[in-house]
Amino acid sequence: QVQLAESGGGLVQAGGSMRLSCTASVDAASTYAMGWFRQAPGKEREVAAAIDWDGGTTYYVDSVKGRFTITRDDVKTTVFLQMNSLKPEDTAIYYCASGGTFRSFTRGKPDYWGQGTQVTVSA
């Protein structure tokens, strides 16, 4: 069982930046895909960004391309999401997730989930 501890989140003005972090509880997570899903009020959950186990492959939903950057630390158990040029439409609960292959992850099927952290972007 992998537990995911998220940090970051909060309130920021439009155009600002924020960084989310997520650390997995076991070393096995270093072999899994990791990333962030988000769910805005009244909308379906979507993959915001994902990164393969070795950090060599990343995925971003079109709406965040060029503004968000996902990375992993050298130990590969912590993932970071740097969010720049934030927009009000980025407001959502962001969930760290891990597990499975990169393909299954980007299809919305990770094995493990964090509790979620609220990101609110004010206009």
Side-chain angles (χ1 to χ4, degrees), residues 66-117:
R67 300 186 297 120
F68 290 12
T69 303
I70 188 168
T71 55
R72 295 181 82 141
D73 69 341
D74 290 343
V75 182
K76 304 287 190 280
T77 55
T78 297
V79 64
F80 305 97
L81 184 66
Q82 179 65 42
M83 304 184 291
N84 298 328
S85 302
L86 282 161
K87 304 176 180 181
E89 50 264 44
D90 294 317
T91 295
I93 299 175
Y94 284 70
Y95 296 92
C96 179
S98 177
T101 65
F102 185 73
R103 182 175 184 179
S104 64
F105 189 102
T106 54
R107 289 184 173 184
K109 298 179 179 179
D111 296 322
Y112 308 103
W113 294 89
Q115 296 284 347
T117 185

